[in-house]
Amino acid sequence: VSEPRGGASRDTYRHGDLRQALLEAGVELARVGGPDAVVLREATRRVGVSPNAAYRHFADHRALLEAVSDAAQALVADAMEEDLAVATAALVDAIGGSSLTADLARAHLRAVGSGYLRFARAEPGLFRAAFSVPRVLDRADSPAKAGRGGRTPFELLTLALDEHVGAGILPAERRPHAEFLAWSAVHGLATLMIDGPLRGLHADLLGGVEQRLLDMVEQGL
Amino acid sequence: VSEPRGGASRDTYRHGDLRQALLEAGVELARVGGPDAVVLREATRRVGVSPNAAYRHFADHRALLEAVSDAAQALVADAMEEDLAVATAALVDAIGGSSLTADLARAHLRAVGSGYLRFARAEPGLFRAAFSVPRVLDRADSPAKAGRGGRTPFELLTLALDEHVGAGILPAERRPHAEFLAWSAVHGLATLMIDGPLRGLHADLLGGVEQRLLDMVEQGL
DNA sequence: TGTACATCAGTGAACGCGCGTTCACTGATGTAC
DNA sequence: TGTACATCAGTGAACGCGCGTTCACTGATGTAC
């Protein structure tokens, strides 16, 4: 009614960018209550808009939920990249610039896993929204799922495994679909921790289990 | 109105055993649609009883859902025990009665894992009902979760890991909480297959991944 | 053995709730002449 | 530069739905005397 043309890019009429606002509201809902809490009417309520206004920007409730899921995957990628940066820096500090590619590859795979698990612990609702929404594995080429570094979680995992082959610590014949093995282990621990029977275990204990799980993947791949 | 005293144990007034009937209806609902499909009103509808009759036997909707979850876990245990029996018989046939305890232990752990995954593939709705219902790990001592063999899924896993220690192929210091490592790997693959991004992959491919995952656990523990 | 009574499994009707979605609309904005 | 018009983002009201749950009840069964 009263705030026209918000100096920015102006790609929407009245609101500025209602689509983005609804998406952000949906992300907050998922953060607190997981995918089931992403309720179209509640998102419009939070933005201060009538319920049917959402239909200008999302085909239906499912489309909103999928957009939220994509955004959550992008946040997972961010968490993974943070751990990747820390791990790389630590290695470079320790051994100097001449880090062995094998050590780097292993550190990167661990970082990918620990970032994933750290995110699941820190944001269980968003984690569930990211991966509990049924969607086919579309090769992760959707930029909506990429983090600030431009990579999706799946792409980050793929890169770490490629490093293993490059460093000669993973035979090429065992490379195909190795993503699914590593992903399964880490994803299973994440879901058992946040949704399942491992909920409520002490954080120290879970931390230890987490390290041993990453050991298992490293040894068993 | 018309069928009194059904020759059986007669522990309920009119219906025979409404609690059991509602539970079975709930299990069928979960089989088709997972835990979200376990709707109290629909269960009563199927049994042919008014909605509020359910409150004589379950405190509320959640209590019904938990009973269904327990029943589903018992079915998982059955699937695991079937694979255990097959694996044991095969080993005894192959090597004669004198199977090495190490070979038996490894075969049992694999069977526990493959039974779990086989059930997840065959009955995704029940699998989700069994483990997606938030409940704390109460040491699996609840007989409601036990299969025909009297063991819960968690107990079967525990036994297989104990065999590893007994056979000398798992150091005692790595035994504590080893359940969580093996369970995570297998559970993660199961959920990625039925709910997540691995849905829709060809069965052959998934079968191969499954075997390699069990290899990984065996090697990495 | 017969009768009065207590129990309690299941009934019938209704409640409030919040959801996703559709309808015909309004009125500020951008555009064409 | 001024005016008429088309666009289309957001409105207001309403819909049908199915849910979980509560209320006062009924009437067949089992039990006590």
Side-chain angles (χ1 to χ4, degrees), chain A residues 5-43:
Chain A
R5 62 177 60 214
S9 64
R10 257 318 301 297
D11 45 10
T12 323
Y13 265 107
R14 309 226 218 285
H15 186 279
D17 193 349
L18 181 55
R19 187 196 149 85
Q20 181 63 23
L22 288 171
L23 177 54
E24 285 169 12
V27 166
E28 287 315 303
L29 290 172
R31 189 190 302 277
V32 174
D36 291 348
V38 179
V39 166
L40 188 144
R41 289 183 84 105
E42 177 62 21

Side-chain angles (χ1 to χ4, degrees), chain B residues 109-129:
Chain B
L109 185 59
R110 289 188 87 91
V112 157
S114 70
Y116 193 89
L117 288 165
R118 187 167 57 82
F119 185 86
R121 251 185 285 113
E123 296 286 4
L126 288 177
F127 180 84
R128 287 167 52 214

Side-chain angles (χ1 to χ4, degrees), chain B residues 3-89:
Chain B
E3 56 251 35
R5 64 177 56 216
S9 64
R10 255 316 300 296
D11 44 10
T12 323
Y13 264 106
R14 310 226 217 286
H15 186 280
D17 192 350
L18 181 55
R19 187 195 149 86
Q20 181 63 21
L22 287 171
L23 177 54
E24 284 169 12
V27 166
E28 287 315 303
L29 291 171
R31 189 191 301 277
V32 174
D36 291 348
V38 179
V39 165
L40 188 143
R41 290 183 82 105
E42 176 62 21
T44 60
R45 229 173 275 136
R46 297 201 170 194
V47 174
V49 111
S50 70
N52 40 3
Y55 289 87
R56 292 276 165 202
H57 302 280
F58 298 96
D60 53 15
H61 170 251
R62 178 170 194 82
L64 171 61
L65 182 57
E66 285 179 357
V68 169
S69 170
D70 282 349
Q73 283 203 34
L75 294 173
V76 174
D78 286 344
M80 290 163 83
E81 296 222 54
E82 283 167 27
D83 280 27
L84 273 170
V86 170
T88 305

Side-chain angles (χ1 to χ4, degrees), chain B:
Chain B
V1 174
S2 50
E3 56 251 35
R5 64 177 56 216
S9 64
R10 255 316 300 296
D11 44 10
T12 323
Y13 264 106
R14 310 226 217 286
H15 186 280
D17 192 350
L18 181 55
R19 187 195 149 86
Q20 181 63 21
L22 287 171
L23 177 54
E24 284 169 12
V27 166
E28 287 315 303
L29 291 171
R31 189 191 301 277
V32 174
D36 291 348
V38 179
V39 165
L40 188 143
R41 290 183 82 105
E42 176 62 21
T44 60
R45 229 173 275 136
R46 297 201 170 194
V47 174
V49 111
S50 70
N52 40 3
Y55 289 87
R56 292 276 165 202
H57 302 280
F58 298 96
D60 53 15
H61 170 251
R62 178 170 194 82
L64 171 61
L65 182 57
E66 285 179 357
V68 169
S69 170
D70 282 349
Q73 283 203 34
L75 294 173
V76 174
D78 286 344
M80 290 163 83
E81 296 222 54
E82 283 167 27
D83 280 27
L84 273 170
V86 170
T88 305
L91 253 192
V92 170
D93 276 8
I95 332 189
S98 65
S99 305
L100 293 173
T101 56
D103 287 341
L104 262 181
R106 276 190 273 257
H108 285 171
L109 185 59
R110 289 188 87 91
V112 157
S114 70
Y116 193 89
L117 288 165
R118 187 167 57 82
F119 185 86
R121 251 185 285 113
E123 296 286 4
L126 288 177
F127 180 84
R128 287 167 52 214
F131 296 110
S132 302
V133 175
R135 215 104 54 83
V136 189
L137 178 65
D138 40 11
R139 293 304 304 179
D141 43 14
S142 160
K145 298 175 187 164
R148 285 186 294 266
R151 313 274 188 195
T152 68
F154 190 78
E155 285 171 340
L156 292 170
L157 173 57
T158 293
L159 290 173
L161 288 169
D162 287 345
E163 282 185 71
H164 275 64
V165 176
I169 54 177
L170 179 64
E173 72 267 20
R174 270 192 274 157
R175 175 65 188 80
H177 304 124
E179 286 91 347
F180 301 159
L181 304 185
W183 193 3
S184 289
V186 171
H187 186 76
L189 182 55
T191 57
L192 290 177
M193 279 190 324
I194 65 179
D195 263 343
L198 267 50
R199 262 186 342 160
L201 263 57
H202 278 119
D204 319 0
L205 179 59
L206 287 179
V209 169
E210 182 175 321
Q211 287 306 313
R212 289 171 59 198
L213 184 95
L214 295 175
D215 291 342
M216 181 180 82
V217 172
E218 196 170 303
Q219 300 287 323
L221 263 187

Side-chain angles (χ1 to χ4, degrees), chain A residues 13-15 18 49-50 52 56-57:
Chain A
Y13 265 107
R14 309 226 218 285
H15 186 279
L18 181 55
V49 113
S50 69
N52 39 4
R56 293 276 163 201
H57 303 281

